[in-house]
Amino acid sequence: MNIICSTLNAKYIHTNLAIRYLKAYAAPEFNIKIKEYTIKDPVMNIVSDLIQQKPDVIGFSCYIWNIEETIKVINIIKKIDSSIQIVLGGPEVTYDTAEWMEKIPEVDFIVVGEGEATFKQLLNELDGEKQFKRVPGISFRQEDQIVITPQMNKLDLKDIPSPYRFEEDIPHLNKRVTYIETSRGCPFSCQFCLSSIEVGVRYFDREKIKNDIRYLMANGAKTIKFVDRTFNISRSYAMEMFQFLIDEHLPGTIFQFEITADIMSAEVIEFLNKQAPYGLFRFEIGVQSTNDYTNELVMRKQNFSKLTRTVTMVKEGGKIDQHLDLIAGLPEEDYQSFRKTFNDVFVMRQEELQLGFLKMLRGTGLRLRASDHQYTYMDHSPYEILGNNVLSFADIIKIKQVEDVLEKYWNDHRMDHTVEYLVTNVFSSPFDFFQEFGTYWDSQGWSRIGHQLEDLFRRLSSFLKAKGILDYDIVESLMKYDYLANQKYKPRKPWWEQSYTKEERTKLYQLIIQNPQIAGDDLSEFSLNEKELYKHTMLESLSFNLARYLETGMVEKAPSCLVAYFAPAQEATTLFSFPYKG
């Protein structure tokens, strides 16, 4: 049989681990071909490529982000060649299986739950006696009736062959995210999450995993993301793996983990702060809500004070970037409660804060009890909520406005000093800044058009002027500083009008040439001659003492000159300032 395992990833850089497990487990009896696409690929392109492989069986790995496009692909394939056996698997079709079989008549089989052994047994039957009732954990049709066989016991993960060592993957390892799994299951029972359905945690063989990581690094993998639901549930295991990765990582490799922050001990954090090289690790931490009643309703145990301690200690260590997640729309968390959750978390100044919206995933407790909180949600994936008894759709729109500008102005770190000043000194809270700006952004129609970097600065400037904030000149000076600090090369046309006339710039350059230490020893160390100054620097007027502000956080209204040096060799910008009244 000619067998293909396929999926539609959300992005090209993503890879699908599930279909590689199926390939590894089915060998050597069956030689499975892997075919990956993205949800952005034209459906006909996907169909054409698959049909040209002349498959007998195609298995699709299904998720909330790809199920709608996958269905389109399946429908066309069956019209072209109805003899091709279509098998679906994955979390999106594991629940409400009979409904999926009725909804998509073109599907021949659905693999329910853990698929490695089940899929191989199904292939054996397709290639042999076709006694499908022998196969545990599948759904199929028999005499116009949908049959669902009982699932088998969970596999011993130590018996599963490695899915990481296929030669065809090697050329792509340095360009895509490599996902790796060291455990399955989750010890927690969060009712909005599919991971809560499987009771207990099972581990793969540690030494095999270490060897797989060595192999991946040796063959060029740069970003390795652990998909374990709670990587640090076992302190001893996490410490062993952290130590291994610190000892044996290759330069340029990054490891990402999902961490439960409130159970991480101070000892582990201190170890990481001392031993981990800068940038080697990245933590993703699900906070979701700081409302205790909400957490209780979704059976989520969380000690926010301990979580805060962990995030703060890790941030102070300066070695590990942290990505924190919030979910809007959880039970009994209204708009004002979510505002508090946002502000509670933002005060930690994590590197990235992702604001998501509750999705009523098939199989979760929250979906099964949706009527308890009067939830309305999309009938199709991703099943995002439209409202509940305490959060209206109008509230959701407002929070989406926050999400839009949060991504552009905080998570992308284009103007950290500006945003910090605004949320600390101008607006009553971080949430209020992002909400007011997001609402203004939406009202201007900017959410429907693209933007360049300069547009982001112009649009923030427009908003602040429209609001009529006090001390706009300070904010504008910080915006200039942030803009120039993030440039690799001298910009041809900044977003603002130049501060100085040609004559004033000439005067300033002569001042710097005559007194190179006026902006500090660092500038004088570059030993720039007059030609280099004119060619590789910019001069801009600031309304306050920048150096003092950066050192103390205090604003001293005193005009100064900002010097930006764009080092041609380093592709980097160095900034200096000195008092200058003109």
Side-chain angles (χ1 to χ4, degrees):
M1 288 193 302
N2 186 6
I3 307 157
I4 293 174
C5 278
S6 182
T7 195
L8 281 64
N9 295 317
K11 297 179 181 179
Y12 167 75
I13 62 167
H14 297 167
T15 52
N16 185 275
L17 184 56
I19 57 178
R20 287 169 171 78
Y21 274 122
L22 299 181
K23 176 179 172 68
Y25 201 89
E29 291 86 349
F30 300 98
N31 181 24
I32 293 176
K33 184 181 294 183
I34 298 291
K35 298 293 289 185
E36 288 181 285
Y37 309 95
T38 77
I39 55 175
K40 298 294 186 183
D41 291 336
V43 168
M44 281 305 298
N45 289 8
I46 298 172
V47 171
S48 299
D49 189 49
L50 288 171
I51 289 294
Q52 288 181 71
Q53 311 302 316
K54 302 188 183 308
D56 299 301
V57 179
I58 307 178
F60 289 95
S61 191
C62 302
Y63 308 84
I64 58 171
W65 63 79
N66 72 8
I67 186 64
E68 302 300 330
E69 295 302 303
T70 301
I71 291 171
K72 294 176 188 176
V73 171
I74 292 166
N75 288 343
I76 299 174
I77 285 174
K78 276 292 191 178
K79 286 180 178 179
I80 295 169
D81 187 347
S82 61
S83 70
I84 297 174
Q85 297 294 295
I86 301 295
V87 185
L88 302 188
E92 177 59 7
V93 294
T94 282
Y95 306 96
D96 303 330
T97 305
E99 180 185 328
W100 283 116
M101 292 293 287
E102 292 169 0
K103 182 178 178 180
I104 322 173
E106 295 84 0
V107 170
D108 297 293
F109 302 93
I110 292 179
V111 172
V112 179
E114 202 164 54
E116 289 90 349
T118 295
F119 186 63
K120 185 171 185 177
Q121 289 185 48
L122 175 59
L123 294 178
N124 279 320
E125 292 300 330
L126 284 168
D127 198 34
E129 299 179 8
K130 296 180 172 53
Q131 297 297 312
F132 301 120
K133 284 189 177 180
R134 297 175 182 170
V135 183
I138 64 167
S139 178
F140 64 98
R141 294 180 186 83
Q142 188 174 67
E143 298 176 355
D144 296 326
Q145 296 295 313
I146 294 171
V147 177
I148 301 176
T149 62
Q151 288 181 250
M152 65 187 298
N153 292 331
K154 297 296 182 183
L155 295 172
D156 184 342
L157 300 184
K158 294 179 175 60
D159 296 334
I160 297 180
S162 171
Y164 309 108
R165 295 177 178 249
F166 300 123
E167 284 190 22
E168 59 266 35
D169 283 334
I170 292 176
H172 310 289
L173 287 175
N174 66 341
K175 298 187 287 285
R176 305 176 76 180
V177 178
T178 300
Y179 296 93
I180 197 162
E181 185 179 37
T182 72
S183 66
R184 288 183 185 175
C186 181
F188 303 112
S189 304
C190 307
Q191 294 298 287
F192 52 81
C193 180
L194 280 175
S195 300
S196 66
I197 297 172
E198 180 178 338
V199 179
V201 179
R202 294 170 292 150
Y203 285 90
F204 287 82
D205 181 88
R206 296 186 189 187
E207 294 308 314
K208 284 172 64 176
I209 289 291
K210 289 177 183 178
N211 283 330
D212 283 333
I213 293 172
R214 291 184 183 107
Y215 169 88
L216 290 168
M217 290 191 296
N219 283 283
K222 296 301 180 187
T223 302
I224 298 177
K225 184 171 182 176
F226 290 77
V227 297
D228 307 61
R229 305 313 300 168
T230 304
F231 183 80
N232 62 316
I233 190 63
S234 165
R235 177 188 169 281
S236 61
Y237 174 73
M239 284 288 282
E240 179 181 336
M241 289 302 294
F242 285 144
Q243 185 70 68
F244 162 72
L245 297 173
I246 289 169
D247 290 343
E248 300 200 25
H249 74 277
L250 296 180
T253 312
I254 298 172
F255 299 95
Q256 301 179 8
F257 310 88
E258 292 191 26
I259 294 294
T260 302
D262 59 347
I263 64 171
M264 183 171 275
S265 70
E267 180 185 3
V268 173
I269 303 168
E270 288 168 0
F271 164 78
L272 292 172
N273 285 345
K274 290 179 181 177
Q275 302 297 326
Y278 172 79
L280 180 64
F281 298 145
R282 185 174 189 265
F283 288 169
E284 297 183 15
I285 298 169
V287 182
Q288 321 310 6
S289 174
T290 63
N291 184 316
D292 290 337
Y293 182 49
T294 291
N295 284 326
E296 183 181 329
L297 287 171
V298 296
M299 299 175 64
R300 179 175 176 80
K301 297 177 180 179
Q302 179 169 270
N303 186 320
F304 185 64
S305 63
K306 289 184 177 179
L307 183 151
T308 301
R309 178 214 62 186
T310 294
V311 173
T312 302
M313 287 182 67
V314 171
K315 184 171 179 62
E316 288 172 350
K319 300 285 191 70
I320 300 169
D321 278 357
Q322 297 176 97
H323 167 125
L324 272 58
D325 291 320
L326 301 180
I327 297 178
L330 291 171
E332 303 306 318
E333 177 142 78
D334 61 14
Y335 178 82
Q336 288 302 323
S337 173
F338 185 77
R339 174 181 180 272
K340 180 181 182 301
T341 284
F342 185 99
N343 287 328
D344 287 343
V345 174
F346 195 86
V347 74
M348 291 183 274
R349 301 298 194 266
Q350 61 290 311
E351 285 73 24
E352 188 172 345
L353 178 60
Q354 182 168 340
L355 199 168
F357 295 81
L358 179 63
K359 295 170 178 60
M360 305 296 274
L361 302 178
R362 292 177 182 271
T364 59
L366 205 50
R367 179 170 173 136
L368 295 173
R369 295 185 291 278
S371 60
D372 292 357
H373 303 282
Q374 299 171 32
Y375 275 107
T376 55
Y377 55 93
M378 298 175 180
D379 291 332
H380 55 79
S381 65
Y383 315 113
E384 193 170 291
I385 68 159
L386 307 173
N388 61 25
N389 60 322
V390 298
L391 195 73
S392 68
F393 187 63
D395 292 331
I396 292 173
I397 290 174
K398 289 169 66 178
I399 298 173
K400 282 183 177 291
Q401 293 167 346
V402 173
E403 177 199 24
D404 194 11
V405 292
L406 176 73
E407 193 65 30
K408 294 177 176 69
Y409 285 86
W410 179 257
N411 290 341
D412 284 347
H413 296 286
R414 293 180 170 115
M415 49 185 89
D416 287 351
H417 294 91
T418 304
V419 173
E420 181 62 43
Y421 182 86
L422 289 169
V423 301
T424 305
N425 299 287
V426 178
F427 290 82
S428 53
S429 79
F431 184 88
D432 295 317
F433 162 66
F434 290 109
Q435 181 66 87
E436 290 188 43
F437 186 22
T439 301
Y440 181 83
W441 181 285
D442 207 19
S443 72
Q444 299 299 305
W446 293 335
S447 56
R448 296 183 292 278
I449 59 176
H451 58 267
Q452 301 293 327
L453 175 63
E454 289 75 16
D455 294 325
L456 294 178
F457 286 85
R458 291 189 190 101
R459 292 171 185 179
L460 177 58
S461 174
S462 172
F463 163 63
L464 297 173
K465 287 177 178 177
K467 184 174 173 61
I469 67 166
L470 296 175
D471 296 323
Y472 171 78
D473 58 307
I474 295 173
V475 180
E476 184 180 51
S477 296
L478 287 169
M479 289 169 69
K480 291 178 183 178
Y481 175 80
D482 281 331
Y483 176 80
L484 293 172
N486 286 296
Q487 299 295 316
K488 288 185 178 180
Y489 309 102
K490 186 176 181 177
R492 293 184 178 181
K493 189 172 177 57
W495 58 270
W496 68 90
E497 295 298 324
Q498 285 191 338
S499 305
Y500 299 120
T501 65
K502 184 177 180 180
E503 291 74 18
E504 287 173 321
R505 289 200 302 276
T506 300
K507 181 180 175 182
L508 275 163
Y509 278 131
Q510 290 304 314
L511 182 63
I512 294 170
I513 292 167
Q514 293 165 15
N515 184 11
Q517 292 187 325
I518 191 171
D521 293 337
D522 290 341
L523 178 59
S524 64
E525 287 177 3
F526 284 109
S527 301
L528 302 176
N529 59 38
E530 184 173 354
K531 183 180 178 180
E532 289 171 330
L533 275 172
Y534 276 91
K535 186 176 181 179
H536 299 303
T537 68
M538 279 182 62
L539 303 177
E540 281 302 327
S541 173
L542 304 180
S543 66
F544 67 101
N545 187 324
L546 176 65
R548 180 162 296 180
Y549 175 77
L550 295 176
E551 184 179 346
T552 68
M554 302 294 292
V555 174
E556 176 191 335
K557 280 291 193 85
S560 58
C561 175
L562 178 66
V563 184
Y565 171 52
F566 306 92
Q570 286 89 16
E571 294 186 3
T573 303
T574 308
L575 300 177
F576 313 91
S577 65
F578 59 91
Y580 181 73
K581 293 183 179 181

